[in-house]
Amino acid sequence: MPGMHHHAMPSASASMPADMPGMDGMAGSGDGLSDAAGGYRMTAATADVMPGMAMPYRFTITGPDGRPVTDFAVEQTKRLHFYAIRSDLTGFQHLHPTMAADGTWTAGLPVLAPGAWRLFATFTPSAGKQDLVLSRTLTVPGTVRATPLPEPAASAGVDGYTVSVRAELTAGKAGPLTVAVARGGVPVTDLEPYLGTYAHLTAFHAGDQALAHLHPETAAAAEGGTGGTEGKGGGPELAFHAELPEPGDWRLFLQFRAGGTLHTAALTLRVAG
Ligand SMILES: [Cu+2]
């Protein structure tokens, strides 16, 4: 069984804390929109992407010594989290690639719609203890049908559930963000643990696809275990500590487990400047 976190839930951070030590010259890297930061680099062989086909995506994280990193700290029960998002902020994928002994990661990408994609890896090398977000782009050939970003909304539906988000955020300032899950107008109180929490929230900035990961303020009981302090599931309200670094619209993807199934709701949140 995967352990709980090697450290307590950090208070909120966007992709990379601004006060990270030893990050000189990294201006602009806090949004994850670079393949290199802090001496670490995400490398991948250029793959020929076949439209309409699922494909494995292989990549490596190299360290300051140029060698592949194989020792990663566990964050939210995983050593590395992988996200894919298209430039219009559709097609969200949250995957957990597997690592070979030589440090090569393989993410099983599903069929991706044609367009420009950004693939993010978030991880913490055991050496250094920096939370890093690196990304690379991937172009899927074909006719691109862009979806306009939906207008900001306070709630979104998914699989019969309604997810409501309460937040009044100003760019670059930490603030509370509350998520509530209901079904048929009734608050859901039996959310099941997912990645060590009751909800996983990822945000992408409209226009540049910058990534922010919002951390919940409460951890869940151990997944499938009995060691948790709570005998029941989570909900209906979940508190996050949010800090979104840029003003404008962000697309939030909220993932939660209920009824034995993982659900993903999405809504647009406007952040004041
Ligand atoms: Cu993950």
Side-chain angles (χ1 to χ4, degrees), residues 37-101:
Y40 292 85
R41 183 176 293 274
M42 180 181 182
T43 61
T46 47
D48 284 328
V49 182
M50 306 290 284
M53 286 184 64
M55 59 174 270
Y57 181 80
R58 294 194 176 83
F59 62 96
T60 301
I61 305 297
T62 58
D65 61 1
R67 302 168 69 95
V69 177
T70 57
D71 196 2
F72 296 86
V74 172
E75 293 282 351
Q76 290 205 277
T77 77
K78 302 290 181 183
R79 297 185 185 283
L80 186 141
H81 299 260
F82 183 93
Y83 305 93
I85 194 82
R86 202 171 73 150
S87 57
D88 61 355
L89 307 186
T90 64
F92 172 74
Q93 299 288 332
H94 175 189
L95 306 172
H96 298 109
T98 54
M99 190 187 75

Side-chain angles (χ1 to χ4, degrees), residues 13-16 30-32 83 120 133 200-205 209-215 243-245 250-253:
S13 59
S15 43
M16 208 192 304
D31 49 19
Y83 305 93
F120 292 90
V133 185
H200 188 280
L201 192 48
T202 317
F204 298 91
H205 188 228
Q209 296 161 285
L211 178 149
H213 183 192
L214 284 66
H215 293 275
E243 184 176 347
L244 296 172
W250 290 76
R251 192 71 174 156
L252 301 191
F253 294 90

Side-chain angles (χ1 to χ4, degrees), residues 150-199:
E151 285 296 310
S155 65
V158 60
D159 306 333
Y161 294 89
T162 302
V163 177
S164 303
V165 172
R166 224 172 49 237
E168 283 187 29
L169 297 177
T170 298
K173 291 201 174 113
L177 182 149
T178 306
V179 171
V181 181
R183 187 178 175 93
V186 179
V188 173
T189 57
D190 57 353
L191 295 176
E192 298 151 8
Y194 172 60
L195 299 177
T197 69
Y198 289 118

Side-chain angles (χ1 to χ4, degrees), residues 249-266:
D249 287 343
W250 290 76
R251 192 71 174 156
L252 301 191
F253 294 90
L254 186 116
Q255 299 183 282
F256 60 96
R257 277 188 74 86
T261 305
L262 181 64
H263 307 281
T264 303

